[in-house]
């Protein structure tokens, strides 16, 4: 799309440089909107999703996300496909943490399972808009000065170290803040009104707990976007690829939530793996002005860290069960 960082003299010759036509952007956004529309239509009626249905949907979203890499290889080239896959894997890995935070949020607000998909749908919609803004702001900053790489990289390393000390109560403190913020604009009901975000109290329009939960979901996504967008920019500097990787990874999060929400204890070391991934991409970004790690190396390291974290978690689970 543009020669990112060319004006600052940064060494980005190892990143793919695409001339993405406006029609490709229109097609990507249209595809995302169609998939959102289909997803919304399939979940009308406030039905509680079953694990089997959540597994099928998760596999479908992952298949779509991986298939898009093939489309990129055909339309552009293999390097574009590889950078997209690296970004997709980074975003998909980091987004798993969203799932566990959402579980805490819904538990705190006592949101019934049958209404949770509606909250997440609009939460995901807002997240897509937010990520697009963050991506273009991030690209603009990198285009303005190469040393922003050092700032982003150091921030990711710091965040990775913080994730290694993952707090068990993450997501619980947003309840009171969300309610207090909403009360500045309208009354907040303690009762649900079906799946509606708004209701009426004594003739006045009021927010329901669903809207308060949505506010917390969107707020926490800001925090996650601050972490994940720079992380994806560490493996690709092309806005089209970065946005596509973010979009396809996020679109499957609703199904992943209903599949993995109860797995927090089982995936004990996942947070450690995510922290190490952030530290790796942060260090990669910090040295990318002078040396760029090949895309296949990044893919291998990220996949290996994630696999080790999952395997170590399952081994730990068996040891705990055997000792009980």
């Amino acid at each position: 799309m543009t020669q990112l960082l060319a004006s600052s003299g940064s060494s980005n010759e190892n990143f793919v440089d695409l001339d993405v036509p406006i029609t490709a952007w229109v097609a990507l956004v249209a595809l995302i909107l169609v998939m959102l529309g289909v997803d919304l239509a399939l979940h009308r009626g406030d039905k509680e999703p079953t694990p089997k249905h959540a597994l099928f949907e998760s596999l479908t979203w992952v298949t779509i996300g991986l298939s898009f890499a093939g489309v990129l290889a055909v339309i552009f080239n293999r390097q574009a496909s590889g950078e997209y896959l690296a970004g997709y894997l980074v975003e998909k890995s980091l987004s798993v943490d969203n799932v566990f935070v959402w579980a805490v949020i819904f538990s705190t607000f006592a949101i019934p399972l049958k209404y949770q998909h509606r909250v997440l749908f609009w939460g995901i919609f807002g997240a897509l808009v937010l990520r697009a803004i963050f991506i273009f702001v991030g690209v603009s900053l990198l285009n303005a000065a190469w040393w922003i790489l050092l700032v982003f990289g150091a921030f990711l390393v710091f965040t990775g170290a913080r994730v290694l000390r993952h707090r068990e109560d993450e997501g619980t403190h947003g309840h009171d803040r969300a309610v207090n913020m909403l009360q500045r604009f309208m009354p907040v009901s303690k009762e649900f009104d079906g799946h509606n975000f708004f209701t009426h109290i004594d003739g006045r329009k009021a927010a329901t707990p669903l809207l308060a939960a949505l506010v917390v979901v969107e707020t926490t996504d800001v925090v996650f976007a601050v972490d994940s967008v720079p992380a994806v920019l560490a493996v690709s500097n092309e806005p089209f690829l970065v946005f596509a990787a973010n979009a396809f990874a996020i679109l499957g999060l609703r199904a992943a939530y209903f599949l993995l929400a109860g797995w927090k204890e089982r995936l004990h070391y996942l947070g450690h793996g995510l922290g190490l991934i952030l530290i790796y991409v942060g260090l990669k970004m910090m040295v990318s002005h002078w040396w760029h790690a090949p895309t296949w190396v990044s893919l291998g390291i990220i996949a290996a860290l994630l696999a080790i974290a999952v395997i170590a978690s399952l081994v730990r689970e068996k040891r705990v069960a055997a000792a009980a």
Side-chain angles (χ1 to χ4, degrees):
M1 184 177 183
T2 58
Q3 289 187 342
L4 189 66
L5 307 178
S7 62
S8 60
S10 175
S11 175
N12 71 326
E13 63 272 10
N14 291 303
F15 280 123
V16 69
D17 182 24
L18 302 180
D19 183 15
V20 182
I22 188 64
T23 52
W25 279 100
V26 172
L28 176 60
V29 173
L31 176 62
I32 292 171
L33 292 176
V34 168
M35 290 189 295
L36 284 171
V38 171
D39 183 70
L40 184 62
L42 290 176
H43 290 86
R44 290 187 299 178
D46 299 327
K47 297 179 181 178
E48 295 188 5
T50 63
K52 182 179 179 180
H53 189 237
L55 176 61
F56 174 77
E57 283 196 354
S58 294
L59 292 176
T60 300
W61 283 115
V62 170
T63 300
I64 292 173
L66 295 178
S67 298
F68 191 72
V71 174
L72 291 172
V74 172
I75 296 178
F76 296 111
N77 51 53
R78 290 177 62 185
Q79 186 178 356
S81 177
E83 289 189 10
Y84 162 81
L85 276 176
Y88 176 81
L89 186 56
V90 168
E91 180 62 35
K92 198 71 173 176
S93 302
L94 299 179
S95 295
V96 174
D97 221 20
N98 288 44
V99 168
F100 301 135
V101 173
W102 288 345
V104 175
I105 292 172
F106 288 141
S107 175
T108 304
F109 282 92
I111 306 297
L113 182 62
K114 62 181 180 180
Y115 298 146
Q116 291 176 9
H117 183 276
R118 178 172 170 81
V119 175
L120 291 180
F121 176 87
W122 292 108
I124 294 297
F125 184 84
L128 289 171
V129 176
L130 180 68
R131 298 303 172 95
I133 296 172
F134 272 47
I135 288 167
F136 283 101
V137 169
V139 168
S140 298
L141 290 174
L142 292 176
N143 195 42
W146 73 267
W147 52 264
I148 296 295
L149 290 167
L150 300 177
V151 177
F152 280 2
F155 175 75
L156 289 175
V157 171
F158 169 78
T159 303
R162 187 184 63 190
V163 170
L164 288 174
R165 304 188 304 271
H166 191 69
R167 292 182 295 110
E168 295 296 328
D169 62 346
E170 187 174 6
T172 61
H173 303 297
H175 181 283
D176 293 338
R177 287 196 295 267
V179 173
N180 291 337
M181 185 175 69
L182 283 175
Q183 285 178 336
R184 297 178 181 179
F185 303 96
M186 64 179 64
V188 178
S189 173
K190 295 182 179 180
E191 304 296 330
F192 293 95
D193 184 6
H195 68 196
N196 297 316
F197 290 114
F198 299 97
T199 186
H200 288 84
I201 300 177
D202 298 329
R204 294 181 60 192
K205 193 172 186 178
T208 68
L210 289 185
L211 183 61
L214 177 60
V215 170
V216 180
V217 168
E218 294 288 7
T219 302
T220 55
D221 188 69
V222 172
V223 178
F224 284 111
V226 170
D227 295 341
S228 63
V229 170
V232 180
L233 288 173
V235 295
S236 179
N237 282 339
E238 171 52 52
F240 183 80
L241 300 179
V242 176
F243 177 70
N246 269 265
F248 283 106
I250 291 173
L251 283 171
L253 274 186
R254 290 182 308 282
Y257 164 76
F258 292 109
L259 184 64
L260 300 175
W263 282 37
K264 186 173 184 178
E265 292 303 319
R266 298 188 65 183
L267 299 177
H268 180 79
Y269 293 114
L270 182 63
H272 298 79
L274 299 181
L276 292 175
I277 289 173
L278 281 173
I279 291 173
Y280 165 72
V281 295
L283 293 173
K284 178 183 182 300
M285 178 171 271
M286 292 177 71
V287 303
S288 63
H289 181 65
W290 301 277
W291 178 77
H292 178 79
T295 300
W296 66 268
V297 173
S298 295
L299 271 170
I301 292 175
I302 294 166
L305 289 172
L306 190 61
I308 291 171
V310 172
I311 293 172
S313 297
L314 296 179
V315 170
R316 176 186 179 274
E317 182 186 27
K318 288 183 178 181
R319 288 179 179 175
V320 172

